Amino acid sequence: MAKQHSIVIAGGGSTYTPEIVLMLLDNLDKFPIRQLKLYDNDPERQNTIAKACEIIIKEQAPHIQFVATANPEEGFTDVDFVMAHIRVGKYEMREKDEKIPLKYNVIGQETCGPGGIAYGLRSIKGVVELIDYMEMYSPNAWMLNYSNPASIVAEACRKLRPESRVLNICDHPIGLEDRMAKMVGLDSRKDLTIRYYGLNHFGWYTDVQDKDGNDLMPQIKSYMAENGFNLNAIGKETRNSDPSWLHTYDMAKFVYELDPDTIPNTYLKYYLFPNKEVEIADENYTRANEVIDGREKRVFGECRKIIEKGTAQGTALEIGAHATYIVDLACALSYNTHERMLIMVENNGAISNVDATSMVEVPCLVGSKGAEPLSIGPVPTFQKGLIEQQVAVEKLAVEAYTEGSKQKLYQAFALSKTIPGADIAKNLLDELIEANKDYWPTLH
């Protein structure tokens, strides 16, 4: 009999929580669960999600003990895995991350540029707090952290909690791999074997094969050159793809032109075409507003319906397909499967011509001791230059946090490819310091 696991989802009030719960219930055959907890420091927000999840669990797997709490000891005692996806400052602060930079004609984005740095500085304390709770109450547990912005959070974990059992992951490449599988007529990204290197939201695929070792890159490249990651050309684009993501998929073809030997991550558009992104941005209605009016209303509305009816029968809540990655990772750690997965790890020579202490995102073999990176070797000058610049931005941001240094944060802003001048960086930083005064450490 496989071990029955106990899990806490930290960030229980997130709109992603129900789909993670549904996904865990869908995978009980390979990853059995005896206890599932939700933990959030905002019990009011968590309450609606938790009540709906409790009904779902009762109907689908009544043997699972369910707990929702705002008490760290109750949340983190007797758990094998902490699945963390927290948003410090919630959507109110995300809106500021996106709108303040746009006043300066700088892209406002959740994980990239000044908005991403602002969010990163808010996230560090929250994620480190969760690690400390885990180590206090369940020292043998693993944390699977997918709190954004993942690169800055991963660098902070490396620096502040180097011995902790934390794996930093991101589901974005999973979505891109699903798209590549569709481009070549395969059912699932699981039918692909990929090579990829870079940082989180900042990387390149260098090799994509099917399980028989056939090279799929020529077919994918020819599709990308015409369509980017947009699947409309083959009638496979999902109905609910919102306009901002369709634009992102379209932009990938222009990023691809910079290096037709590789397939780029879509977030590179913010670094390579920041002017174009500013041009199309609406400073009064950004992605945060889209999410508040879309996903937030939809998920909380569905949860309220479940609570009112007392049943989840016929619910429109869906299993998080991307979230299956988390189960694969938990299985690899629990059952020592050595599955090959993209994880953020300390470079230590994986990319041989990039700083050894960079937190890179590369394929790793995952077993009971954690993630073992595969060797990438040296990367071309174009990618090396971009990676090193971005690593420096992230390291300066984390040093600014740990040292309370305004100077280093100014340097991080001035170095970011998304900000066109140090004078703009300085004024923008002053405004973001004021906006984040309740969340950032005091900077001197």
Side-chain angles (χ1 to χ4, degrees):
M1 174 82 179
K3 180 186 171 182
Q4 305 265 316
H5 297 91
S6 174
I7 292 161
V8 59
I9 299 175
S14 163
T15 53
Y16 289 95
T17 296
E19 66 182 45
I20 289 168
V21 169
L22 285 167
M23 179 273 305
L24 290 170
L25 294 175
D26 199 48
N27 283 278
L28 289 174
D29 54 334
K30 66 173 183 178
F31 189 68
I33 295 172
R34 62 181 170 84
Q35 177 171 250
L36 184 56
K37 305 186 190 192
L38 304 188
Y39 168 80
D40 202 301
N41 61 6
D42 180 346
E44 201 180 325
R45 183 180 164 90
Q46 177 172 263
N47 198 24
T48 307
I49 302 279
K51 281 182 174 165
C53 287
E54 187 168 20
I55 291 167
I56 292 168
I57 290 167
K58 223 167 234 158
E59 289 182 344
Q60 289 195 27
H63 71 279
I64 294 176
Q65 189 183 344
F66 178 74
V67 177
T69 183
N71 176 316
E73 185 172 0
E74 187 181 15
F76 289 81
T77 298
D78 177 33
V79 296
D80 304 305
F81 290 99
V82 177
M83 297 180 173
H85 59 161
I86 60 171
R87 181 180 293 282
V88 179
K90 305 197 183 71
Y91 284 106
E92 178 197 353
M93 291 307 295
R94 176 175 180 174
E95 203 175 337
K96 292 182 181 179
D97 294 342
E98 292 172 353
K99 289 181 177 176
I100 292 171
L102 285 170
K103 289 191 207 169
Y104 298 86
N105 287 323
V106 173
I107 188 61
Q109 211 278 328
E110 180 188 20
T111 63
C112 305
I117 296 169
Y119 182 18
L121 264 60
R122 294 198 303 273
S123 298
I124 294 169
K125 184 181 175 195
V127 171
V128 168
E129 186 175 81
L130 296 179
I131 295 170
D132 292 347
Y133 290 151
M134 175 179 85
E135 293 186 337
M136 188 184 305
Y137 299 116
S138 291
N140 296 319
W142 279 97
M143 184 190 285
L144 314 182
N145 178 54
Y146 38 104
S147 304
N148 270 326
S151 259
I152 289 175
V153 169
E155 169 62 17
C157 292
R158 182 195 73 80
K159 198 173 164 88
L160 297 171
R161 296 292 182 271
E163 302 303 315
S164 296
R165 287 159 65 97
V166 179
L167 286 181
N168 291 287
I169 57 171
C170 175
D171 67 3
H172 181 61
I174 304 308
L176 297 184
E177 286 160 31
D178 275 337
R179 286 175 174 271
M180 289 192 277
K182 288 188 174 86
M183 287 174 202
V184 296
L186 293 172
D187 294 335
S188 156
R189 68 173 184 88
K190 298 262 185 147
D191 299 325
L192 306 176
T193 302
I194 59 101
R195 282 183 77 78
Y196 176 97
Y197 66 80
L199 314 172
N200 180 242
H201 288 183
F202 200 99
W204 295 264
Y205 291 91
T206 57
D207 188 38
V208 183
Q209 297 179 10
D210 65 17
K211 289 298 177 206
D212 297 324
N214 297 306
D215 183 7
L216 304 174
M217 285 291 272
Q219 205 178 334
I220 295 169
K221 286 174 179 176
S222 125
Y223 186 93
M224 288 286 298
E226 293 293 317
N227 310 285
F229 276 106
N230 189 322
L231 298 179
N232 278 324
I234 49 172
K236 295 278 177 74
E237 193 55 63
T238 48
R239 284 193 313 281
N240 57 0
S241 287
D242 57 45
S244 59
W245 271 110
L246 286 175
H247 166 73
T248 293
Y249 297 140
D250 289 337
M251 279 299 291
K253 68 179 172 223
F254 301 108
V255 181
Y256 169 73
E257 279 175 11
L258 278 154
D259 178 21
D261 288 335
T262 60
I263 306 292
N265 187 296
T266 56
Y267 280 85
L268 287 160
K269 70 170 187 168
Y270 293 112
Y271 302 93
L272 297 166
F273 299 98
N275 51 328
K276 290 218 177 305
E277 291 305 307
V278 171
E279 273 168 30
I280 63 152
D282 177 349
E283 62 189 53
N284 300 309
Y285 194 83
T286 60
R287 178 77 187 140
N289 302 112
E290 268 184 25
V291 175
I292 291 163
D293 291 341
R295 186 181 179 86
E296 279 277 293
K297 284 186 176 154
R298 190 174 72 246
V299 173
F300 275 92
E302 273 301 310
C303 287
R304 286 190 193 99
K305 261 191 222 163
I306 290 171
I307 297 163
E308 276 164 32
K309 287 188 193 160
T311 175
Q313 297 298 318
T315 178
L317 290 175
E318 292 178 340
I319 293 171
H322 292 184
T324 56
Y325 188 63
I326 305 158
V327 163
D328 292 340
L329 181 56
C331 287
L333 292 163
S334 285
Y335 311 131
N336 199 32
T337 63
H338 294 99
E339 183 161 351
R340 182 173 169 155
M341 308 184 80
L342 273 185
I343 313 269
M344 279 158 257
V345 288
E346 192 165 2
N347 183 24
N348 281 334
I351 303 176
S352 58
N353 56 344
V354 166
D355 176 2
T357 66
S358 310
M359 289 302 286
V360 296
E361 191 169 41
V362 292
C364 297
L365 300 178
V366 184
S368 54
K369 291 200 163 121
E372 186 183 337
L374 299 179
S375 172
I376 298 295
V379 299
T381 305
F382 175 66
Q383 280 88 353
K384 179 182 191 299
L386 284 168
I387 288 170
E388 290 190 326
Q389 182 175 14
Q390 185 58 18
V391 164
V393 171
E394 289 161 6
K395 284 187 175 296
L396 284 164
V398 173
E399 285 169 19
Y401 176 91
T402 55
E403 298 164 23
S405 167
K406 183 178 175 183
Q407 188 70 44
K408 285 199 167 168
L409 199 52
Y410 175 32
Q411 290 174 349
F413 274 49
L415 194 57
S416 174
K417 258 189 91 59
T418 62
I419 302 177
D423 52 341
I424 296 167
K426 192 172 191 179
N427 295 331
L428 180 46
L429 174 59
D430 285 339
E431 192 164 345
L432 282 169
I433 288 173
E434 179 57 30
N436 284 276
K437 60 179 188 289
D438 295 339
Y439 299 97
W440 287 3
T442 306
L443 301 175
H444 307 285

